[in-house]
Amino acid sequence: MGGEVKRAKESWESTVLAGWLEENPESRSSFETKSGMSLDRLYTPAADEPDYLSRLNFPGQFPFTRGVTPNGYRSKPWVMGQYSGYGSAEEANERFRYLIEQGQTGFSIALDLPTQIGLDSDDPAACGEVGRVGVAIDSLEDVESLLRGIPWHKVRQIRTTANAISPIVAALFIASAQKNGIDPNSISVLIQNDVLKEYIGRGTFIFPPQPSVKLAVDVIEYCAAHLPNWTPMAICGYHIRDSGSTAVQEVAFTFANAIAYIEEALSRGVSIDAFAPKLYAFLGSDIDLLEEVAKFRAARRIWAHLLKERFGAKDPQSSRLNIFGYTLGSALTAQQPVNNLMRVTIAALAAVLGGVQTLATSSYDEAVCLPTQESVTLSLRTQQIIAAESGILGTVDPLGGSYAIESLTDEIEAQVLQVLKRIDQQGGAVNCIESGIIQNEVSEAAYALQKRIETGDRKLIGVNVYATTEKSRIPIFSINDDMEERQISRLRALKSRRNDRALNSCLLSIQRAARNNENLIPSMIEAVKEYATIGEICGVLRDVYGSHIDSTEF
Amino acid sequence: MTNRKMRILIGKPGLDGHNRGAKIIAKELCGQGYEVIYTGLRNSPEQIVSAAIQEAVDLIGLSILSGAHLRICRKIMDLLDQNGATDIPVIVGGIIPDDDVTKLKEMGISEVFGPGTSLSTIVEAIGNTLAAENAGRAPLKR
């Protein structure tokens, strides 16, 4: 090994690594291959390489290309997170209580579509969609049913997919904790709260982009001041990618959105280091293994420079990008669905080789129906097999230094920076979303990929090669249909027994705060304590901000 | 009818926001010489039917991934019937279980396409459906 890298490595070992290992002892005293060959914690160039220290450096050190921790997964593997939740609050509560009994300390709450777009369950437009893709939450009463009987001291983390309604959901958890005499900061709540990506993929927006950014930053601002343990935002690329974007577009648009939120937060006087350490990126992991590994590594490097150089972050945690990887649902096929097990395995491997902190794996039947218990278990086993049997946990960033991977990492970085520069020149993410530029670019990419599949240039096993006419026989998961009626009658009963005078005064306070451009969370906490519904609060905000009408361009 | 481009409405009824498939189909049909009207996300059955009648479309294509396809299609077929517009054929794409495909066809939906169907298959089926409609007889699959 050359002089400079060697000296730097010794210094890294004695400071960064040694300090880390004291707090995070490794799971084994030595790591070996199956045949007994010793595996080093970290492999580095044998001779000095130009730019090694500035472009790659050692794991846990700026710019974090080789990972955010000094020893990868040797102390503990990534967090195996799974997404779940459907039906009524009571049904979800049963499931959560079971999971807590089994020793799980955190859970994710998926919300149904009406809830996500600010419609109460009794809204005519919600008909047929209540409780279908997640839990229906209309008011604090549903949050109370959802959390009933759950020992709060055992709950470490609650994750939720609220975006357009994120400040209301924050208010609901705060109010619920306060009513139980618990400090809301003692539980860690993760709110997805990345509404800009909803205009690019997935589509659960309510208001126009500009006020939506304001609402998202209300959560960031409130948490920075009052709830430092909460994660106020996950910047999301997954949904953009699942809408057909390329890997470069996924990272570029995610970071362009992040820049919009950060700029808004800084303009309110929130310090970058007061919230950036808590942010993390939710990215897809596709099946193209080399590109994905390079993407995760490039994303960390770009983020590190962005936070340090553009936003002046001083806390190293701010420039350290934690990644939640999720194997891409759109890579799965409805034809020969069991093949998806292999696709998920490759995508999961890409995420692990890319050094993610949390990984969720898709179920093989997702292209056909909502996952069954059996398929969810299989997808978890996939992760467990990679962690326990594949041996790739033994060394950090195992593909680092590969000519192919480093070259792809550099290429993705360069292309992402180019897109980011162009978005800046075009007035930032909000402008580019309002004008539809970003949406159109994603549609173009999705169409181009589909054409490659049509021509056979991109092969899909079971679809355009080795297709069979045999019908797939997989169990179909179905949901109870009278759930919707029960939810509606519960909501109507609630609406008839509230204190209408107190409720209306709370809704007026929200309206006033919105008109005065104040942070809305304090007035929302008061309103949800009077059992104002999400639909009612969104109704007030629709009057102030207007509604976003989806573009009819394609 | 022969003097103008055939006009197709692509709609996304319901609250689901996954519009990748709908937009890809819209683009492809455009490239194939059709005039395409994409109505964006969160259309109600009423909006779709009234747009279809106002724009005098020759065919309606619906993309439904939320699982609410039976309810939505029933409503749209009823509305077409009430408005005397049953001559507009309706096709559906989405994640539709086999049993429901049968039910949709019984309702009068001309074609149902599942995930992974190739664009050429869809374009061909649309061409056949329109040809059958134009020839003044019911399409074969209705």
Side-chain angles (χ1 to χ4, degrees):
Chain A
M1 189 189 293
E4 193 197 5
V5 172
K6 187 178 177 199
R7 275 193 303 279
K9 189 176 184 182
E10 283 165 4
S11 149
W12 168 80
E13 275 170 346
S14 61
T15 55
V16 179
L17 178 67
W20 170 264
L21 291 179
E22 246 170 64
E23 307 267 307
N24 303 278
E26 295 192 336
S27 58
R28 304 169 58 93
S29 56
S30 67
F31 287 78
E32 292 164 348
T33 66
K34 199 169 179 182
S35 316
M37 276 185 284
S38 161
L39 264 181
D40 284 357
R41 179 180 295 113
L42 178 70
Y43 293 93
T44 46
D48 270 352
E49 274 179 14
D51 299 342
Y52 178 82
L53 294 177
S54 65
R55 299 191 68 72
L56 300 174
N57 211 348
F58 308 108
Q61 274 194 317
F62 193 91
F64 307 104
T65 313
R66 304 200 66 184
V68 292
T69 62
N71 70 340
Y73 304 120
R74 279 168 66 126
S75 296
K76 55 178 195 296
W78 61 93
V79 176
M80 299 178 192
Q82 298 296 72
Y83 181 83
S84 67
Y86 49 83
S88 69
E90 273 120 5
E91 283 164 327
N93 172 267
E94 265 178 49
R95 195 161 164 140
F96 293 156
R97 290 210 319 223
Y98 170 78
L99 291 172
I100 296 257
E101 274 169 34
Q102 303 302 308
Q104 190 164 324
T105 56
F107 42 81
S108 81
I109 301 171
L111 303 170
D112 71 358
L113 286 169
T115 305
Q116 292 189 53
I117 60 173
L119 300 177
D120 285 340
S121 298
D122 60 351
D123 192 299
C127 180
E129 315 246 18
V130 175
R132 214 165 255 281
V133 302
V135 185
I137 302 281
D138 292 313
S139 73
L140 186 59
E141 187 181 59
D142 295 318
V143 177
E144 286 164 347
S145 320
L146 188 65
L147 302 177
R148 183 160 297 136
I150 291 179
W152 280 83
H153 62 279
K154 286 192 184 165
V155 180
R156 296 262 72 88
Q157 192 188 71
I158 298 177
R159 301 184 296 274
T160 157
T161 49
N163 290 286
I165 57 162
S166 57
I168 312 175
V169 168
L172 285 166
F173 284 118
I174 295 166
S176 169
Q178 285 174 349
K179 284 187 78 171
N180 281 281
I182 287 168
D183 173 10
N185 192 40
S186 68
I187 31 164
S188 135
V189 177
L190 265 82
I191 306 182
Q192 194 169 77
N193 193 29
D194 173 3
V195 68
L196 287 176
K197 63 100 170 42
E198 298 293 337
Y199 304 90
I200 308 173
R202 213 169 75 111
T204 69
F205 44 73
I206 304 175
F207 315 108
Q210 195 68 61
S212 293
V213 169
K214 179 252 185 281
L215 292 172
V217 175
D218 278 1
V219 177
I220 291 182
E221 183 183 39
Y222 190 90
C223 290
H226 305 287
L227 301 166
N229 284 344
W230 286 33
T231 299
M233 179 178 283
I235 50 171
C236 298
Y238 179 91
H239 316 80
I240 298 171
R241 190 72 182 280
D242 220 25
S243 300
S245 85
T246 64
V248 166
Q249 288 173 327
E250 176 189 14
V251 176
F253 297 153
T254 304
F255 286 177
N257 292 344
I259 289 169
Y261 302 123
I262 292 174
E263 284 179 344
E264 164 76 12
L266 297 182
S267 78
R268 296 191 195 183
V270 185
S271 133
I272 185 76
D273 290 321
F275 65 96
K278 281 292 186 184
L279 305 182
Y280 70 94
F282 176 24
L283 298 176
S285 195
D286 204 346
I287 196 166
D288 198 320
L289 188 123
L290 303 182
E291 178 174 80
E292 292 304 305
V293 174
K295 178 190 81 180
F296 292 119
R297 299 171 85 248
R300 280 193 295 269
R301 185 155 77 207
I302 298 164
W303 183 258
H305 285 289
L306 187 68
L307 270 281
K308 191 174 173 186
E309 286 142 30
R310 179 159 175 175
F311 296 115
K314 305 261 183 313
D315 184 346
Q317 293 291 352
S318 295
S319 22
R320 196 183 299 246
L321 184 68
N322 286 310
I323 299 175
F324 185 131
Y326 200 146
T327 61
L328 208 65
S330 61
L332 308 184
T333 68
Q335 290 73 16
Q336 305 179 19
V338 180
N339 292 351
N340 292 328
L341 281 172
M342 277 62 83
R343 295 193 174 98
V344 169
T345 306
I346 296 170
L349 207 52
V352 172
L353 289 167
V356 303
Q357 280 54 62
T358 305
L359 175 61
T361 30
S362 311
S363 301
Y364 73 90
D365 48 0
E366 264 175 36
V368 189
C369 60
L370 286 173
T372 61
Q373 190 66 44
E374 187 214 11
S375 69
V376 170
T377 306
L378 270 174
S379 77
L380 179 61
R381 293 284 180 265
T382 308
Q383 296 198 42
Q384 290 165 337
I385 288 170
I386 293 175
E389 301 182 26
S390 78
I392 59 179
L393 271 63
T395 184
V396 188
D397 187 29
L399 300 189
S402 138
Y403 296 122
I405 290 291
E406 295 303 350
S407 167
L408 281 169
T409 304
D410 291 351
E411 183 63 26
I412 289 175
E413 180 190 32
Q415 289 194 24
V416 167
L417 291 176
Q418 221 167 18
V419 177
L420 283 175
K421 191 171 164 193
R422 184 166 52 77
I423 292 176
D424 273 340
Q425 285 163 350
Q426 290 174 314
V430 171
N431 259 346
C432 291
I433 288 169
E434 280 170 350
S435 61
I437 296 175
I438 292 182
Q439 295 91 313
N440 289 343
E441 286 180 12
V442 172
S443 298
E444 289 293 339
Y447 184 67
L449 177 64
Q450 183 62 36
K451 290 303 263 188
R452 285 178 64 194
I453 295 168
E454 296 279 318
T455 59
D457 176 49
R458 177 113 198 134
K459 291 189 174 34
L460 269 184
I461 303 301
V463 176
N464 62 7
V465 272
Y466 309 118
T468 50
T469 50
E470 195 189 331
K471 282 274 172 195
S472 59
R473 277 185 304 275
I474 52 175
I476 303 289
F477 181 91
S478 61
I479 327 173
N480 190 348
D481 255 346
D482 42 310
M483 213 284 306
E484 182 162 324
E485 279 166 43
R486 279 186 284 124
Q487 179 72 16
I488 292 173
S489 53
R490 197 162 47 221
L491 175 62
R492 295 209 168 126
L494 170 83
K495 283 183 174 172
S496 68
R497 65 168 188 271
R498 294 178 303 185
N499 177 345
D500 286 339
R501 183 185 290 252
L503 175 72
N504 287 333
S505 128
C506 284
L507 291 175
L508 277 175
S509 301
I510 294 177
Q511 189 187 57
R512 209 164 30 239
R515 293 219 164 108
N516 294 337
N517 206 21
E518 291 163 18
N519 191 309
L520 300 186
I521 293 183
S523 55
M524 286 177 175
I525 296 172
E526 295 314 311
V528 301
K529 282 182 177 168
E530 293 295 337
Y531 295 91
T533 64
I534 293 180
E536 288 163 343
I537 295 174
C538 287
V540 168
L541 298 180
R542 280 188 189 99
D543 286 344
V544 179
Y545 298 133
S547 300
H548 178 74
I549 307 292
D550 187 39
S551 157
T552 55
E553 274 186 62
F554 54 84
Chain B
M1 291 293 274
T2 46
N3 291 334
R4 70 167 177 92
K5 279 185 177 182
M6 290 284 216
R7 200 176 271 184
I8 296 176
L9 181 147
I10 301 290
K12 259 204 77 71
L15 306 184
D16 169 61
H18 294 92
N19 56 10
R20 176 179 181 169
K23 284 183 167 184
I24 287 177
I25 304 278
K27 259 190 214 299
E28 177 68 11
L29 291 172
C30 222
Q32 296 288 334
Y34 292 100
E35 187 180 333
V36 179
I37 298 157
Y38 169 59
T39 50
L41 296 180
R42 291 189 212 162
N43 302 147
S44 67
E46 288 81 1
Q47 286 168 328
I48 288 175
V49 170
S50 101
I53 292 169
Q54 267 174 30
E55 302 279 353
V57 303
D58 300 291
L59 181 138
I60 298 173
L62 304 172
S63 163
I64 312 174
L65 300 168
S66 66
H69 44 267
L70 289 178
R71 201 186 295 229
I72 289 168
C73 291
R74 177 77 272 153
K75 182 85 189 169
I76 285 177
M77 298 312 277
D78 286 350
L79 285 167
L80 285 172
D81 191 28
Q82 286 159 24
N83 287 280
T86 46
D87 58 321
I88 307 177
V90 181
I91 61 167
V92 173
I95 303 178
I96 318 269
D98 287 348
D99 288 355
D100 290 355
V101 172
T102 315
K103 287 180 195 160
L104 289 174
K105 295 243 168 119
E106 281 166 8
M107 266 180 220
I109 302 289
S110 305
E111 297 281 354
V112 179
F113 301 107
T117 309
S118 75
L119 290 173
S120 54
T121 306
I122 296 170
V123 168
E124 193 188 329
I126 286 176
N128 290 342
T129 306
L130 286 170
E133 197 66 40
N134 261 358
R137 57 186 163 82
L140 295 174
K141 299 210 170 161
R142 276 182 113 177

